[in-house]
Amino acid sequence: MALRSSEIYQELRRRILAGELAPGHRLVVRRLSEEFGCSDIPVREALRSLEGDDLIEIAPYRGAQVRIYRPDEVREAYLIRANLEGAATGAAADFVDDETLAQLEQLIEQMDDVLSTEDVTGFSALNREFHELVFSACPYRRLQDLISNVWDGHVGMVTVMRLHPERLHRSNEEHRAILAALRARDGELASRLACQHKLRVGDDLVAALMEDDERAARTATTDAVALP
């Protein structure tokens, strides 16, 4: 039975976020329609949805490929996120209740569990749940909406993190520090830690991208030398 465009979209999105389809990977409509046992139409619809998520790029005469992020894009994105999320986390300190604090502790433990199995996609989902739970205690709904919109627009950037699993372990330790500041109702510290946390993630993503570029350049040089 042929899959609907929504099902194709969900499967391709899962593959991209899981790192199964690397940045730059070409998405050929005919091959995908053969794989999913459908016509080209639902595949094209799925690709347009993925383009709307900023997970792929579609260019005339070149087709679709998994989005490649530039270091300057990542720096800007995480500078914006650091300031927005730092503000929301600090504001949440005076309003977060004991039940929410207990839920945050559980999420940190769950992130430890998925990291033990190197489940980067699972970590990413729990990480977002952790931060959104913190933001839910913030009284500023417009700020929460801004953060959600920015986060949705940058979701594809987390695929780079699969190159640096050790970063995710450090990230969870930073979650613990943020939680401790929230327990102490120290909004200034919670804000600073959340801001630093996000800037460090951005720095690691940029480093991963640059290492990827260097690796690709070395491979290209080796291939050129190997030519007869």
Side-chain angles (χ1 to χ4, degrees), residues 7 9 60 71 89 102 119 129 138 153 190 197 214 227:
E7 295 171 312
Y9 160 77
T89 302
D119 180 4
E129 187 176 350
C138 169
H197 168 67
E214 291 172 2
L227 290 174

Side-chain angles (χ1 to χ4, degrees), residues 10-24:
Q10 290 294 343
E11 173 58 18
L12 292 176
R13 189 176 193 276
R14 183 198 66 77
R15 294 181 190 179
I16 293 170
L17 295 180
E20 295 174 17
L21 300 177

Side-chain angles (χ1 to χ4, degrees), residues 47-187:
L47 293 179
R48 283 195 291 271
S49 295
L50 291 168
E51 184 182 31
D53 289 346
D54 210 23
L55 291 175
I56 69 170
E57 300 168 307
I58 302 177
Y61 310 111
R62 288 189 302 168
Q65 69 174 28
V66 178
R67 179 89 149 79
I68 299 173
Y69 289 95
R70 302 190 313 272
D72 62 308
E73 289 179 300
V74 175
R75 286 193 185 95
E76 180 183 37
Y78 278 84
L79 177 63
I80 293 170
R81 289 181 61 177
N83 284 279
L84 291 175
E85 296 181 29
T89 302
D94 288 333
F95 299 93
V96 65
D97 57 31
D98 290 340
E99 181 181 353
T100 300
L101 291 171
Q103 291 174 333
L104 291 170
E105 180 67 41
Q106 290 176 354
L107 286 169
I108 288 173
E109 292 173 358
Q110 290 174 32
M111 280 186 271
D112 280 337
D113 290 340
V114 298
L115 283 176
S116 68
T117 62
E118 298 185 355
D119 180 4
V120 176
T121 303
F123 180 92
S124 179
L126 290 167
N127 174 69
R128 178 159 186 167
E129 187 176 350
F130 173 89
H131 289 288
E132 286 183 338
L133 187 56
V134 172
F135 304 150
S136 71
C138 169
Y140 307 121
R141 299 305 171 197
R142 189 174 180 185
L143 178 56
Q144 290 185 44
D145 290 342
L146 281 171
I147 291 170
S148 181
N149 290 337
V150 171
W151 198 311
D152 287 340
H154 298 159
V155 67
M157 291 184 182
V158 302
T159 59
V160 181
M161 294 302 286
R162 65 190 172 82
L163 302 175
H164 288 268
E166 72 279 2
R167 166 62 210 168
L168 302 182
H169 289 279
R170 296 200 306 273
S171 179
N172 215 23
E173 290 306 309
E174 292 166 7
H175 291 153
R176 284 189 168 88
I178 292 169
L179 177 57
L182 291 173
R183 284 191 191 280
R185 303 293 194 264
D186 190 336

Side-chain angles (χ1 to χ4, degrees), residues 8 12 15 21 24-41 43-44 47 62 64:
I8 296 170
L12 292 176
R15 294 181 190 179
L21 300 177
H25 180 92
R26 291 192 63 221
L27 298 164
V28 181
V29 172
R30 182 51 52 86
R31 291 178 189 168
L32 291 171
S33 63
E34 291 175 357
E35 176 186 349
F36 292 115
C38 63
S39 69
D40 291 355
I41 294 175
V43 172
R44 292 185 187 280
L47 293 179
R62 288 189 302 168

